[in-house]
Amino acid sequence: MRKIALQENELENTYVGADPITLTAVLTILATAIIVVLVYKIFKSNEGKTTIPGGWSFQWK
C-alpha cells in the first residue's frame, strides 16, 4: 500500500462519517430487543424447557 500526500483542497473536503457508529448503535438496540422479547416469553410462560449451549438446561412448571 502506497501513501499519497493529499492536496490542501482534498484535505478540506475529507471528513469522517458517523456510519460505523450508527450501524453499531442500531445492531446493539436490535440485539437487546431480541433478548428482551425472549426473556419476556420465557418468564411469562407457565411451563417449558430450554437448553442453552454448554450443557445448561432449564425446566419450569
Side-chain angles (χ1 to χ4, degrees), residues 15-61:
Y15 64 94
V16 177
D19 294 334
I21 295 172
T22 305
L23 181 60
T24 302
V26 168
L27 290 177
T28 302
I29 292 170
L30 181 62
T32 303
I34 291 171
I35 291 171
V36 166
V37 168
L38 290 175
V39 169
Y40 175 78
K41 287 189 172 280
I42 287 173
F43 281 113
K44 291 301 283 185
S45 64
N46 292 331
E47 65 177 74
K49 180 180 178 185
T50 185
T51 305
I52 299 173
W56 293 88
S57 179
F58 300 99
Q59 185 174 0
W60 60 97
K61 293 183 181 180

Side-chain angles (χ1 to χ4, degrees), residues 1-30:
M1 184 174 202
R2 195 173 79 181
K3 294 182 181 180
I4 300 172
L6 297 176
Q7 301 294 326
E8 188 68 33
N9 61 345
E10 293 173 326
L11 290 172
E12 291 173 0
N13 293 329
T14 304
Y15 64 94
V16 177
D19 294 334
I21 295 172
T22 305
L23 181 60
T24 302
V26 168
L27 290 177
T28 302
I29 292 170
L30 181 62

